Amino acid sequence: MKNWKRTLLVGSIVGLVFFGWLLRGFFLQNWNFNIFKIRDWAYIWTEFRSGWIIQYASNWIFFWVLVLAIPVFIYIWRVCLHVQWRKTVVVFVRKAFFYLKGGEKKMAKGKVKIKAKASHKKVRPQPMNRLGRPQTKKVGKTMDAHLEVSPSAQAPVDDLGVESASSDVSSALSEARPAFLNDDQTPLDDIALEDIQLPERVRLEENIAEILVKAGYQVVQDVHMGAVDLDYVAVSKERILLCRVDKEKGDWLADEEFFNGEEPLWFSETSHRTSPVYQLLQEAKALTERLSKQGLSQTVQPVLIEKAGVIINAEDMQKTFADLGVLVMRTDLGGPDELPSVTEAIPPASEKTDIDTFEAIHSLL
C-alpha cells in the first residue's frame, strides 16, 4: 500500500456514501430493513435458524444484494482510488468561479476588433527609382555605399533616349545582393528532402562483462530480481554493482519525483514508463536488507547503462542521480554524450571477495 492515508480516507468516504446512504436507503425503501439496527439482523438470524425457505423474487433480490454488498463496495473503492480527486476539485472550482464572474458573456464583451486592410486600389504604391526597383529608406551610410554607382559606370543613352544597363551596373548590383542569392549558389527549394543527410550517432563498442572483470569484479549475468531483470551483477569485497542495460529506444525525459503517491515516470513522445532508476533503487534496498540478515556488509550500487535510448535532460539530472546514489552511463547508441561511457564510469574494485562470500551473495540473488 503506497499511500495508506489516502487509501483509508477514500475508503471511509466511499463506505459512508455506499452503506450510510445508498444501501441503507435501498433496504428501508423496499423491505423496511435497517442495516444499522441489531434488532433487524436478529430477526433475519431467527428466520434462518428456523429454516427460512426463499420462495419469492423479492426475497431472492434481498439475499443477493446482501451478499454482493461487500464485493461491490470493494470494487467502487478501487475505482475511486484511481481518480485524481484534488485535480478534479480544482478544475471544478475554477470553472465555477469562471461562470460566476460572467464567464463567456464577459469574454464576448471583450472581443478584439480587427481593422480591415485598405484596398490596393486606394493605396499609393512606392515610387520607383531609375533602375526599376522600389525606393527604400536609407539606413546609415553603409547601405548607401553599397547601392551608389559611379558616374563613369552609368549606362549610355541610345537614340530613343532610353538608358541601357551596362555590365558595370550589373556587377555593382550583384555585389550589393546577399551571398545566398547569387546565381552560383544552389537554391534551398531545389534540394530534395531525401537528399538532406542528418548526423548519425557514433556507436560506442564496449564489452561490459570484460570491463567489469578487468575492474576486479566477479560477474554474474542475467539475474532476475523482483520486477527487474539485471544484465550483470558485479561482486567485489566491498561493493556489489547491480547493472541494468536499458534497451528502450527513443528520447526520454527523466523524472525522479513522486506525484500524488505514484512511482516516478520517464516520458517519451509516444509513451511513458516507470523510472528504471527507481526500480534499481528498490532492488538495491531489498538486497541490502537480505545481506544484513546474513551478516554481510557490502555496499550495493545501482548502475543504469543506456544502450539504445537518449536521456534528453541528462545534464540537468546528473546531480539528482548522484544524490540518489545511482551510476548512469552510456554504451552502444545510448546517450547523450554528456554521460560517461562504461569504461570511464565503472569504479574499480579494491579487492576480490573470497569464494565462500561470493557463493553466499550469489544465493541471495
Side-chain angles (χ1 to χ4, degrees):
M1 189 178 296
K2 299 174 184 177
N3 193 340
W4 62 271
K5 291 184 179 179
R6 181 179 183 273
T7 303
L8 292 179
L9 178 61
V10 173
S12 301
I13 297 174
V14 172
L16 184 63
V17 174
F18 181 77
F19 291 106
W21 175 66
L22 185 62
L23 196 64
R24 179 177 177 274
F26 182 75
F27 277 111
L28 284 174
Q29 182 70 26
N30 293 279
W31 297 282
N32 197 25
F33 179 80
N34 192 335
I35 61 175
F36 296 111
K37 285 188 177 181
I38 300 178
R39 183 182 60 186
D40 292 1
W41 285 102
Y43 173 78
I44 297 295
W45 177 249
T46 302
E47 289 290 322
F48 176 76
R49 295 191 62 182
S50 62
W52 181 25
I53 300 176
I54 302 176
Q55 296 178 344
Y56 304 104
S58 62
N59 291 343
W60 277 111
I61 295 174
F62 177 88
F63 174 76
W64 283 113
V65 170
L66 202 62
V67 170
L68 296 176
I70 298 297
V72 171
F73 162 69
I74 295 175
Y75 175 76
I76 297 175
W77 187 1
R78 288 180 61 87
V79 170
C80 292
L81 285 175
H82 293 286
V83 178
Q84 303 297 330
W85 293 105
R86 182 178 300 177
K87 183 178 179 180
T88 304
V89 171
V90 169
V91 172
F92 175 78
V93 171
R94 288 179 178 176
K95 287 187 176 181
F97 275 108
F98 173 74
Y99 285 108
L100 288 175
K101 291 181 179 180
E104 296 179 354
K105 295 181 180 180
K106 188 175 180 181
M107 293 180 62
K109 293 179 181 179
K111 288 183 177 179
V112 179
K113 295 182 178 180
I114 301 175
K115 186 178 179 181
K117 186 178 180 181
S119 174
H120 69 279
K121 296 180 180 180
K122 299 180 181 180
V123 179
R124 183 178 179 181
Q126 296 181 3
M128 308 293 288
N129 60 20
R130 64 185 183 82
L131 295 176
R133 297 173 178 268
Q135 291 183 357
T136 56
K137 295 181 180 179
K138 295 182 179 180
V139 185
K141 297 180 179 180
T142 305
M143 182 172 288
D144 294 340
H146 284 292
L147 297 179
E148 286 180 356
V149 181
S150 63
S152 60
Q154 294 182 358
V157 180
D158 57 12
D159 296 337
L160 298 177
V162 180
E163 294 182 357
S164 58
S166 65
S167 58
D168 294 338
V169 176
S170 299
S171 61
L173 292 175
S174 177
E175 292 177 359
R177 299 171 65 192
F180 64 87
L181 292 179
N182 291 338
D183 294 336
D184 57 345
Q185 298 292 332
T186 304
L188 295 178
D189 294 340
D190 296 340
I191 301 177
L193 184 61
E194 57 270 14
D195 294 337
I196 300 176
Q197 298 293 332
L198 297 177
E200 297 182 356
R201 289 191 59 81
V202 179
R203 186 183 298 273
L204 182 60
E205 300 288 348
E206 290 181 316
N207 188 327
I208 300 176
E210 183 178 331
I211 293 172
L212 292 171
V213 172
K214 286 183 177 180
Y217 294 93
Q218 293 173 274
V219 180
V220 182
Q221 298 189 35
D222 300 327
V223 178
H224 181 76
M225 290 184 60
V228 178
D229 291 326
L230 300 175
D231 296 88
Y232 308 95
V233 176
V235 182
S236 69
K237 185 175 182 179
E238 77 286 351
R239 184 185 290 114
I240 300 175
L241 303 181
L242 302 183
C243 304
R244 177 181 178 181
V245 179
D246 189 11
K247 306 177 184 68
E248 292 288 341
K249 296 181 179 180
D251 296 334
W252 294 96
L253 181 69
D255 185 12
E256 301 303 328
E257 296 291 336
F258 285 84
F259 178 75
N260 201 15
E262 297 181 355
E263 297 175 347
L265 299 176
W266 283 22
F267 300 88
S268 70
E269 294 181 354
T270 57
S271 63
H272 66 275
R273 58 174 170 145
T274 303
S275 164
V277 171
Y278 170 77
Q279 292 178 331
L280 279 172
L281 285 171
Q282 296 300 106
E283 298 306 324
K285 181 180 178 181
L287 180 58
T288 301
E289 293 176 356
R290 292 199 293 268
L291 291 172
S292 179
K293 291 179 182 180
Q294 297 296 325
L296 301 173
S297 59
Q298 278 84 353
T299 301
V300 181
Q301 178 80 64
V303 178
L304 180 66
I305 305 172
E306 277 295 330
K307 182 178 181 180
V310 175
I311 306 175
I312 58 178
N313 60 335
E315 186 175 359
D316 299 329
M317 292 296 295
Q318 282 182 349
K319 185 178 184 303
T320 302
F321 295 148
D323 293 340
L324 293 173
V326 181
L327 297 177
V328 180
M329 56 196 72
R330 65 182 177 91
T331 191
D332 207 318
L333 295 177
D337 294 339
E338 286 78 10
L339 293 177
S341 65
V342 176
T343 306
E344 298 170 340
I346 287 295
S350 60
E351 186 178 351
K352 287 187 177 182
T353 185
D354 57 88
I355 187 65
D356 294 334
T357 304
F358 177 75
E359 291 295 335
I361 295 173
H362 193 188
S363 64
L364 297 176
L365 299 177

